[in-house]
Amino acid sequence: MSTPLTESDLQSQLARLGQLRQAIAQAIVGQDEVVEQLLIGLLAGGHCLLEGVPGLGKTLLVRSLGQALKLQFRRVQFTPDLMPSDILGTELLEEDHGTGHRHFRFQPGPVFTNLLLADELNRTPPKTQAALLEAMQERTVSYAGVTHALPAPFFVLATQNPLEQAGTYPLPEAQLDRFLLHIRVDYPSEREEHDILAQTTGSRGNEVPQVMHGEEVLKLQSLVREVHLGEDLLAWITKLVRASRPGEGGLEDVRKYVRWGAGPRAGQSLVLAAKARALLHGRLAATREDIAALAAPVMRHRLLLSFAAEAEQKSADDVIAALLRSVPLPAA
């Protein structure tokens, strides 16, 4: 039975979250919304997909999070020749020189870690991409008929480049659905870019201090589930997700631009993400603002758009914005 969330628990954990944000800021200039969404994914216990053009600090951001957390951190650069065994592990044949007896021993791969950076995940073939599916969803790896549990917490942060599509393998919908959030990383502001140039071209390197260990992360993830979300907001989330599916009598933009809408996992993700954002902002209850702020990161990778959307240059974010405008808000 879970322990009720108290004010002292909240204040203690919020202080740790504040320290975590400050630690990441030692290496990352700006990108406040991206950092917040990354922390929301961590608190909600889900995986995040970061998308942005090269040079925006996606890898540095994830590495900084790994340094700030006292967790095991590993990075895998995904390439066209990467095999599933390169990330999951393999069996080695060993011989006892004393007895001459031979046996197989499972050698764990880099996926056996707390924080896995899957860099440029869309550059590896579907066979290797699929090797992550069980690990992301079940937190286990099956090899030679034996199931191996992954460490807890287990957090996958994948990056992909939206520009260079030659030689890439777009992630299938089933794997995209395993990501709690699809985070867009955009160009920094002029002031932030100036600060980046000043901070990264000098002789002093910015060390990221370690401020939180695994037990604290697990406790925060359990606290998120104690955050209250009212029945009216739960009904709103249900309507938002269902309205994203094309059908008779539905929203015109959805019927015109969406081939397949979001499934129930989108609703689960939006509930957990809204609760995590509320906790991150020091509240014990989620609000309409939490849901509206996270609707796009939760749903944008779960909508399969039509050819009409591509022809008219309509994005998933445009459809989600129309959903937020059209589906009635619960009373304040």
Side-chain angles (χ1 to χ4, degrees):
M1 185 174 180
S2 60
T3 303
L5 183 63
T6 65
E7 186 67 24
S8 61
D9 287 334
L10 178 64
Q11 295 306 320
S12 173
Q13 298 305 321
L14 285 180
R16 304 298 287 169
L17 285 173
Q19 294 172 12
L20 181 58
R21 275 189 163 186
Q22 292 172 8
I24 296 173
Q26 298 293 316
I28 301 297
V29 176
Q31 300 288 10
D32 294 336
E33 186 175 349
V34 173
V35 172
E36 176 170 290
Q37 291 178 12
L38 202 61
L39 292 179
I40 287 170
L42 177 68
L43 294 178
H47 311 294
C48 295
L49 177 65
L50 285 82
E51 183 177 270
V53 298
L56 296 184
K58 300 184 297 297
T59 303
L60 176 61
L61 173 60
V62 177
R63 186 185 300 119
S64 300
L65 177 62
Q67 292 171 347
L69 297 170
K70 296 178 183 177
L71 300 174
Q72 188 177 28
F73 167 69
R74 289 181 179 173
R75 175 180 179 268
V76 176
Q77 180 66 50
F78 282 76
T79 57
D81 60 349
L82 199 72
M83 298 297 292
S85 58
D86 294 329
I87 57 174
L88 299 182
T90 188
E91 282 191 332
L92 303 177
L93 180 61
E94 294 188 340
E95 181 177 350
D96 188 325
H97 294 291
T99 64
H101 177 69
R102 294 181 177 182
H103 64 279
F104 284 99
R105 178 179 63 85
F106 180 68
Q107 177 64 41
V111 74
F112 285 84
T113 186
N114 297 118
L115 180 59
L116 177 68
L117 169 56
D119 220 350
E120 294 192 296
L121 183 58
N122 60 332
R123 294 214 171 273
T124 202
K127 182 178 181 180
T128 306
Q129 291 175 357
L132 276 180
L133 273 175
E134 180 189 3
M136 292 173 62
Q137 184 64 26
E138 307 296 338
R139 266 69 170 181
T140 60
V141 167
S142 296
Y143 195 96
V146 179
T147 299
H148 306 270
L150 294 173
F154 176 66
F155 191 34
V156 174
L157 296 171
T159 69
Q160 67 177 10
N161 175 3
L163 293 183
E164 301 172 11
Q165 294 304 312
T168 63
Y169 304 85
L171 297 177
E173 286 72 21
Q175 184 151 2
L176 285 172
D177 200 32
R178 263 66 177 184
F179 287 101
L180 180 86
L181 300 177
H182 181 183
I183 302 173
R184 292 269 172 82
V185 184
D186 208 346
Y187 289 109
S189 66
E190 183 176 352
R191 180 71 247 178
E192 290 171 348
E193 193 160 353
H194 174 274
D195 292 343
I196 290 171
L197 299 181
Q199 181 171 306
T200 59
T201 57
S203 59
R204 289 185 58 190
N206 291 321
E207 294 293 329
V208 178
Q210 291 187 330
V211 299
M212 190 179 294
H213 53 73
E215 288 75 13
E216 289 176 299
V217 173
L218 292 173
K219 185 175 182 180
L220 280 167
Q221 290 178 350
S222 66
L223 290 179
V224 164
R225 292 180 176 269
E226 297 289 339
V227 173
H228 177 71
L229 188 138
E231 179 60 35
D232 57 337
L233 295 179
L234 193 63
W236 189 41
I237 290 174
T238 304
K239 290 177 181 178
L240 280 173
V241 174
R242 292 181 64 83
S244 72
R245 304 165 192 166
E248 291 298 325
L251 184 66
E252 181 181 355
D253 282 13
V254 172
R255 294 198 311 271
K256 186 176 182 181
Y257 301 125
V258 179
R259 292 171 57 195
W260 294 99
R265 190 180 281 122
Q268 295 171 326
S269 299
L270 191 49
V271 169
L272 285 174
K275 288 185 174 186
R277 186 178 187 271
L279 185 64
L280 199 60
H281 286 258
R283 290 181 273 106
L284 297 177
T287 66
R288 295 178 299 174
E289 288 71 24
D290 296 321
I291 297 168
L294 291 166
V298 166
M299 296 176 64
R300 62 167 58 112
H301 56 298
R302 293 182 162 100
L303 301 183
L304 184 60
L305 300 185
S306 65
F307 292 112
E310 184 177 354
E312 298 183 29
Q313 297 184 332
K314 293 289 185 179
S315 68
D317 285 15
D318 295 328
V319 175
I320 295 166
L323 284 172
L324 290 172
R325 291 193 302 267
S326 302
V327 178
L329 287 165

